[in-house]
Amino acid sequence: MSQDDEVWRAFREAMRRDDSGQFTVSTRDFVAELEQRHSPHTLRAANTWIEMHITTFSDISTEEGEWRLFQVPAARD
């Protein structure tokens, strides 16, 4: 499996769904998943990857810094 596939898999595993159906992913969770796959990234590198590859996510972070939280609206029925 290519490293790119592992990064995508790590991103999917880092996603969480709340009770209202919203999907979120934190860069901390994403980096933790990447480390499990022996593909270490810094928080900054993870943020850059998300910004480049996941255009439908919005930054909903409540703090400044490299730890960020991204959200995408739930699909409508």
Side-chain angles (χ1 to χ4, degrees):
M1 181 173 296
S2 75
Q3 183 171 349
D4 193 49
D5 290 340
E6 287 296 322
V7 174
W8 278 102
R9 178 171 279 137
F11 181 80
R12 287 190 299 272
E13 290 296 320
M15 289 179 60
R16 305 291 180 257
R17 187 173 189 175
D18 66 19
D19 293 338
S20 66
Q22 299 292 315
F23 287 95
T24 61
V25 64
S26 75
T27 49
R28 284 183 183 160
D29 290 344
F30 185 32
V31 167
E33 289 290 338
L34 288 164
E35 286 175 359
Q36 288 181 1
R37 289 162 174 74
H38 307 290
S39 181
H41 283 60
T42 63
L43 289 172
R44 178 174 286 174
N47 288 328
T48 300
W49 187 93
I50 292 169
E51 291 167 351
M52 290 177 60
H53 292 88
I54 313 296
T55 59
T56 57
F57 272 69
S58 299
D59 185 345
I60 60 168
S61 304
T62 58
E63 302 172 12
E64 292 201 27
E66 294 301 325
W67 177 82
R68 292 171 59 194
L69 184 65
F70 296 90
Q71 181 181 55
V72 65
R76 296 179 189 217
D77 294 332

